[in-house]
Amino acid sequence: MSQSITKARDGFTSTFGVLAATLGSAVGLGNIWKFPYLTGENGGAGFLLVYVIATLLVGLPVMISEIMLGREARTDAVSGLIKLAPKGQPWWLIAAMGVSAAFLIMSFYSEVAAWVFAYIFKAASGEILSTDPAVTGAAFNSLITDPLQSLLWQWLVLTLMGGILLMGVSRGIEAVTKRLMPLLFILLLVIGVRSLTLPGASEGLHFLFSPDFSKVTAGVVLTAMGLAFFKLSIGMGCMMTYGSYFRDDQHIPLTTVRVMCADLFVSMLAGIAIFPAVFAFGFEPSAGPSLLFITIPAVFASIPLGHLFMVLFFVLSAIAATGAMLSILEVPVSVLSERFHMSRTRATLINLLVLGAVGSTCALSSSTLADVQVGGKTFFDLFDFVSSNVLMPLGGIFLCLFVGWVWGFERMTTALTNGGKLSLPILRPLFFIIRYVSPLLILVVMLKGMGLF
Ligand code: PFF
């Protein structure tokens, strides 16, 4: 009986498909414009160390918990927590918070992705091929301050993602990420080698990796932890949703460790592809969007064959953004289609419409709505901050509390060993970390990072 229900539900069909989709979610714009810059800016190897510790003590346990709960429930995140929790306890609110986080993230993320997609064409046409950051800066400014262009590119990206999601989990998400992820690795390696072989490249490696622990403050630790949540797509039901598509025989802890390592590897490669080239030509490394859209084009314009590499770089970024956006959108799409019994088509369309509206606040954050600010932040920055530094860590705390205190060791053991088929010596320490260490650590880092104690 349960076999036939499992079969009827769409899901990932192969081990490689699971890896590609899950890694496709983790790898994204976060690797390309958050990780390298934050690392360079916040103390290089010192930040990296804090990030790796946060990933091991918080990221990994939360990710394993989420995927496990998803696969146990085999339904959308909200229904999943209703199904797994004792009757009447409102643990499903974690998933509801996750759905709101998905909307916030998708709102600003789809706009950065919109710029990336637009830049493939701008790079190809030679429009941004200038070694002068003032010229590339003006080109970027004219894109983001034009409300119509910003909106149209965002809606185009949303429509493209909707089109893939409409094809379903295995024939849409899995099929697309299986093809795109290997391509992403190849492109990244090619650009990394190009960047590293430039004269003067070592200064970029120095910026990225030389440790400066004096920069590692409480705020920086919060940033590193927020990055770990954002990078691994955890604390908001995304991995729970993907977990519900995992095969019964999938080794969850091993898959999670593989995804984490590959994601870290991609982040490092992205840093290696970007900073040596930036320094080789004497550019100043800049933050977030301007690094990607102003400095990078100027850097590529300085390199022999730079025109080609610039196009490849934005294709690579678009690929990275695609896998991530599919997974963010899948959270509310699966909730509407499974919890509210809508057809996948209807669920996708409704979500796209809502996102088109909510997301437009971010698309217009540099133009029409530039002056509308909350706490000194535009909608774009606010959604970014609240999702990574508040909602996702909060989701992580409650997921750990649920597994550690409500679900319990026995059920976790059965779930992670695939019903006793795998032997996992790490279960006791893992449970201890999920029950005590991760939630406490997240709480302390959140409160301290926000200056609340
Ligand atoms: N992990 C993605 C990145 O690093 O770009 C972003 C992301 C994807 C965040 C999926 C949240 C999510 F649910």
Side-chain angles (χ1 to χ4, degrees):
M1 174 72 187
S2 85
Q3 247 334 22
S4 66
I5 291 173
T6 306
K7 280 228 170 76
R9 193 169 176 264
D10 200 359
F12 301 136
T13 56
S14 65
T15 300
F16 178 60
V18 168
L19 262 181
T22 315
L23 188 61
S25 168
V27 166
L29 294 169
N31 305 61
I32 298 171
W33 67 284
K34 272 194 176 213
F35 178 91
Y37 181 76
L38 287 176
T39 305
E41 185 62 353
N42 292 313
F47 180 84
L48 202 61
L49 189 71
V50 179
Y51 172 74
V52 170
I53 293 175
T55 302
L56 290 177
L57 287 185
V58 174
L60 214 53
V62 175
M63 190 167 174
I64 292 176
S65 304
E66 250 192 72
I67 294 178
M68 169 186 81
L69 293 176
R71 192 179 65 178
E72 284 303 296
R74 290 240 178 265
T75 180
D76 66 277
V78 173
S79 311
L81 282 167
I82 292 177
K83 190 166 163 183
L84 299 178
K87 264 214 163 355
Q89 293 189 12
W91 291 96
W92 59 271
L93 285 171
I94 308 174
M97 190 169 74
V99 171
S100 19
F103 276 103
L104 294 189
I105 296 176
M106 197 58 192
S107 295
F108 73 85
Y109 206 89
S110 60
E111 186 52 28
V112 184
W115 300 333
V116 167
F117 276 83
Y119 261 53
I120 296 178
F121 297 93
K122 286 186 189 293
S125 73
E127 189 187 329
I128 45 172
L129 197 66
S130 165
T131 54
D132 182 359
V135 176
T136 54
F140 182 53
N141 237 9
S142 81
L143 171 65
I144 64 172
T145 52
D146 180 345
L148 196 64
Q149 270 204 68
S150 304
L151 283 176
L152 285 181
W153 278 107
Q154 186 185 43
W155 291 342
L156 195 81
V157 166
L158 288 176
T159 310
L160 187 65
M161 297 307 123
I164 299 174
L165 285 178
L166 280 183
M167 291 191 280
V169 177
S170 53
R171 291 199 304 164
I173 300 175
E174 183 179 357
V176 168
T177 50
K178 249 160 79 174
R179 289 182 177 85
L180 291 186
M181 288 318 281
L183 191 61
L184 179 125
F185 273 93
I186 295 171
L187 288 178
L188 205 51
L189 281 175
V190 171
I191 299 175
V193 168
R194 171 71 280 203
S195 175
L196 270 183
T197 48
L198 292 168
S202 61
E203 211 188 316
L205 294 180
H206 188 257
F207 173 74
L208 202 53
F209 295 122
S210 66
D212 179 357
F213 287 97
S214 68
K215 288 197 180 154
V216 182
T217 58
V220 167
V221 175
L222 176 64
T223 306
M225 193 181 75
L227 182 66
F229 273 91
F230 188 81
K231 282 295 332 98
L232 296 177
S233 318
I234 50 174
M236 47 158 288
C238 178
M239 282 300 150
M240 203 177 152
T241 308
Y242 268 24
S244 77
Y245 303 134
F246 269 44
R247 288 150 42 116
D248 287 326
D249 60 355
Q250 192 79 25
H251 193 314
I252 293 178
L254 194 65
T255 309
T256 312
V257 170
R258 281 192 179 142
V259 168
M260 182 207 99
C261 292
D263 178 62
L264 192 61
F265 180 64
V266 171
S267 293
M268 305 270 207
L269 267 184
I272 288 171
I274 293 171
F275 287 110
V278 167
F279 280 92
F281 293 98
F283 289 106
E284 273 297 305
S286 51
S290 64
L291 172 69
L292 206 53
F293 300 104
I294 299 176
T295 314
I296 297 275
V299 169
F300 280 119
S302 317
I303 298 179
L305 282 183
H307 192 170
L308 174 69
F309 280 104
M310 199 192 308
V311 178
L312 292 183
F313 180 83
F314 286 108
V315 169
L316 168 137
S317 306
I319 291 176
T322 299
M325 284 190 290
L326 292 176
S327 70
I328 304 171
L329 263 174
E330 182 63 19
V331 177
V333 166
S334 66
V335 170
L336 280 194
S337 63
E338 296 190 77
R339 178 95 217 130
F340 295 98
H341 308 293
M342 277 181 200
S343 69
R344 200 169 163 88
T345 312
R346 194 145 173 223
T348 309
L349 288 179
I350 291 182
N351 275 304
L352 286 187
L353 283 178
V354 176
L355 256 173
V358 183
S360 64
T361 57
C362 292
L364 301 176
S365 273
S366 306
S367 54
T368 325
L369 298 179
D371 295 330
V372 185
Q373 301 199 349
V374 182
K377 286 181 160 54
T378 59
F379 283 114
F380 187 105
D381 294 331
L382 184 73
F383 288 4
D384 185 2
F385 180 84
V386 170
S387 51
S388 277
N389 294 352
V390 183
L391 294 180
M392 296 171 99
L394 263 187
I397 293 181
F398 285 114
L399 278 164
C400 288
L401 293 181
F402 179 69
V403 173
W405 297 89
V406 179
W407 224 52
F409 183 69
E410 300 304 320
R411 275 197 272 188
M412 184 186 98
T413 305
T414 313
L416 289 183
T417 56
N418 297 348
K421 291 194 198 75
L422 304 171
S423 99
L424 291 174
I426 45 106
L427 286 177
R428 280 261 165 227
L430 179 66
F431 187 69
F432 180 81
I433 293 178
I434 293 176
R435 192 171 153 109
Y436 300 104
V437 182
S438 309
L440 256 177
L441 209 64
I442 304 173
L443 187 69
V444 171
V445 172
M446 267 182 83
L447 296 182
K448 202 145 178 64
M450 290 180 185
L452 293 180
F453 82 84

